[in-house]
Amino acid sequence: MTTLHRAQQLKSSVQEITKRDEVFSFLKPDQHPLVDTRHNILLYIEGVNKSFDGFKAINDLNLYIKEGELRCIIGPNGAGKTTMMDIITGKTKPDTGEVWLGSNINLLKMNESEIANAGVGRKFQKRR
């Protein structure tokens, strides 16, 4: 192995480690055989609305997460973060909108256990 080749490998490794918009390649799971990500979108949420007794918890939410992309959802209390996660994981059904895993799995037609078996889950923080 030449010095130039080693330097190129090192440069490539450093570039991968310093990427901030994706998880590390060794953390990316193998592609799920049933999830079609040919269009590079892993989670597709469009036009989602949810109201609780007249209170609009979510108003026209659009979110697209690419394969390997890392997103953090932040906001004040009552902004709809938990409601969004409840919709994605099947605990709550939206009033309108679409939620897809890849381009072929409609999460709104599945129950919570089917969504979990498809690889979508959540982890709660433990209180101290």
Side-chain angles (χ1 to χ4, degrees), residues 41-97:
I41 300 292
L42 182 63
L43 183 64
Y44 167 90
I45 302 171
E46 190 164 279
V48 170
N49 292 285
K50 181 63 183 173
S51 296
F52 296 101
D53 296 326
F55 173 73
K56 275 205 163 208
I58 294 180
N59 184 21
D60 196 30
L61 172 65
N62 295 303
L63 177 66
Y64 310 96
I65 299 179
K66 295 180 180 180
E67 190 173 12
E69 189 173 42
L70 178 64
R71 292 283 185 105
C72 298
I73 309 299
I74 61 171
N77 292 345
K81 302 176 300 290
T82 300
T83 302
M84 179 194 73
M85 291 303 299
D86 288 346
I87 290 170
I88 293 168
T89 58
K91 183 178 178 197
T92 302
K93 296 293 181 192
D95 299 330
T96 60

Side-chain angles (χ1 to χ4, degrees), residues 15 31 37 43 84 89 92 102 112-113 115 117 122 126:
Q15 286 175 335
Q31 186 173 1
T37 57
L43 183 64
M84 179 194 73
T89 58
T92 302
E112 286 181 81
S113 61
I115 292 171
N117 285 331
R122 65 197 294 181
K126 285 186 180 181

